[in-house]
Amino acid sequence: MTLVRFNNNPVRASFPDFFSDVMENMFNSNEMDTPAFTKPLCNVMEDKEGFSIEFALPGFSKNDVTIDVDNNVLTVAGKKEENKKDKEQNYTRREFSYGEFKRSFTLPETVDQDKIKATFSDGILNVEIPKKPELQPKSLKININ
């Protein structure tokens, strides 16, 4: 079973995948408030031991990010606020954006939620989601008597 991106928007669920980005931008109020700030990109990988999700979070620290699991939904959220000192500067061009994001994924029943671990290094958040040991494929060697 694979990890599924959480989608609680019934309007968006009825459209094909190629409309997903357009609909996300239209109906996601957080992105409308801060148009330059987008949700972070992520990579989702699966192997026989579990899942791994990498989030690209340049400019964030581990203190800016929270990870929660509730009702089989893993939610990664972050908030980066503008520095008060930055507001006092006289910029001629300013492209850094500040804001918040939230990404959610529905976890399959095969994962061991109590053993989820996360590391943060060089702007990359890595969330390791192991599968339950009894559900991992086993390799046995059978002796012949």
Side-chain angles (χ1 to χ4, degrees):
M1 181 177 277
T2 60
L3 201 65
V4 179
R5 184 173 152 194
F6 184 70
N7 180 6
N8 63 352
N9 185 338
V11 174
R12 187 170 161 242
S14 65
F15 288 90
D17 286 340
F18 60 90
F19 281 116
S20 65
D21 289 338
V22 173
M23 300 308 289
E24 181 104 25
N25 290 335
M26 274 194 201
F27 294 112
N28 188 337
S29 62
N30 289 340
E31 289 182 2
M32 296 294 281
D33 295 340
T34 56
F37 190 79
T38 60
K39 64 184 170 192
L41 301 176
C42 69
N43 296 324
V44 179
M45 294 147 292
E46 179 183 10
D47 61 20
K48 64 182 180 177
E49 284 90 31
F51 299 92
S52 178
I53 308 176
E54 295 175 325
F55 294 87
L57 300 172
F60 282 82
S61 72
K62 69 179 185 177
N63 296 329
D64 298 327
V65 180
T66 60
I67 304 170
D68 297 306
V69 177
D70 187 28
N71 292 325
N72 287 348
V73 176
L74 174 87
T75 301
V76 177
K79 185 173 185 178
K80 184 76 172 171
E81 294 183 2
E82 187 174 9
N83 189 337
K84 187 176 181 179
K85 183 180 175 185
D86 289 343
K87 291 181 180 179
E88 298 170 2
Q89 299 294 322
N90 186 19
Y91 288 94
T92 56
R93 183 176 182 106
R94 186 160 187 187
E95 295 182 349
F96 286 13
S97 61
Y98 300 91
E100 54 189 289
F101 71 88
K102 185 184 286 188
R103 299 281 312 253
S104 297
F105 298 85
T106 301
L107 298 174
E109 296 291 329
T110 59
V111 302
D112 191 348
Q113 294 181 13
D114 295 329
K115 294 186 179 175
I116 295 174
K117 295 181 182 176
T119 57
F120 193 94
S121 178
D122 298 328
I124 303 292
L125 173 67
N126 189 356
V127 181
E128 296 292 331
I129 308 165
K131 292 180 181 174
K132 294 176 183 174
E134 64 270 10
L135 298 175
Q136 292 181 10
K138 294 181 182 178
S139 178
L140 297 173
K141 185 173 185 173
I142 308 297
N143 292 324
I144 302 173
N145 292 328

